[in-house]
Amino acid sequence: IEWYCREFSERTSIPCVLSLEEIDPVSKQINLALYRVFQESMTNVIRHAKATNVSVKLISFPDIVLTICDDGIGITSEKIESGKSFGILGMHQRINQCGGIIEISGTPGKGTKIQVSIPNPNAPENEEHE
């Protein structure tokens, strides 16, 4: 994510502010799902948002939460709910397969927020007890 944000900023001249926590090792499925949602979100910033700033925050406890916000035009609820965006559908499918949820919201003229929450398998309340 750090490398991608640097490349993104160099390529687009859009600043990308990062706040990333270290995450204890989790499954490849969770890692890939988080990265693909992040990647799709950043692609949407380039293609659609007309943003001048992006922020990416990752926390790991008690759940793994990835939040991507931009200050662009803001996605409409019609686009979110249309079912025609393969990118959005793919994000939902990946996160659902990990037992998580994804929330996408937009405010006209203020930007878009994508927030993913996946139960952290390393958190004490999520560990299976024998």
Side-chain angles (χ1 to χ4, degrees):
I1 290 176
E2 288 178 64
W3 172 84
Y4 192 99
C5 279
R6 269 194 314 276
E7 292 293 313
F8 172 88
S9 293
E10 289 174 13
R11 201 169 63 246
T12 64
S13 298
I14 299 171
C16 185
V17 177
L18 294 174
S19 175
L20 305 176
E21 284 184 9
E22 290 291 325
I23 296 180
D24 289 332
V26 293
S27 72
K28 289 180 183 179
Q29 181 185 20
I30 291 173
N31 285 340
L32 184 59
L34 289 169
Y35 185 74
R36 292 295 186 213
V37 167
F38 162 73
Q39 192 175 41
E40 179 67 26
S41 300
M42 300 302 276
T43 298
N44 288 340
V45 168
I46 295 168
R47 290 185 182 161
H48 309 293
K50 299 180 182 170
T52 57
N53 292 284
V54 178
S55 68
V56 179
K57 183 176 183 178
L58 180 67
I59 62 171
S60 62
F61 193 80
D63 291 333
I64 299 168
V65 179
L66 174 66
T67 307
I68 302 132
C69 297
D70 69 58
D71 64 352
I73 61 173
I75 190 170
T76 63
S77 56
E78 292 81 22
K79 284 189 180 179
I80 295 168
E81 298 164 6
S82 76
K84 294 180 181 177
S85 168
F86 292 117
I88 291 174
L89 288 172
M91 288 193 287
H92 279 281
Q93 288 173 345
R94 285 182 186 278
I95 298 308
N96 288 340
Q97 288 172 350
C98 295
I101 57 169
I102 182 169
E103 298 173 353
I104 302 171
S105 60
T107 304
K110 296 197 178 194
T112 298
K113 177 180 178 181
I114 297 171
Q115 185 162 322
V116 171
S117 180
I118 298 174
N120 187 336
N122 298 320
E125 66 272 7
N126 293 330
E127 292 178 353
E128 292 185 28
H129 299 285
E130 295 182 33

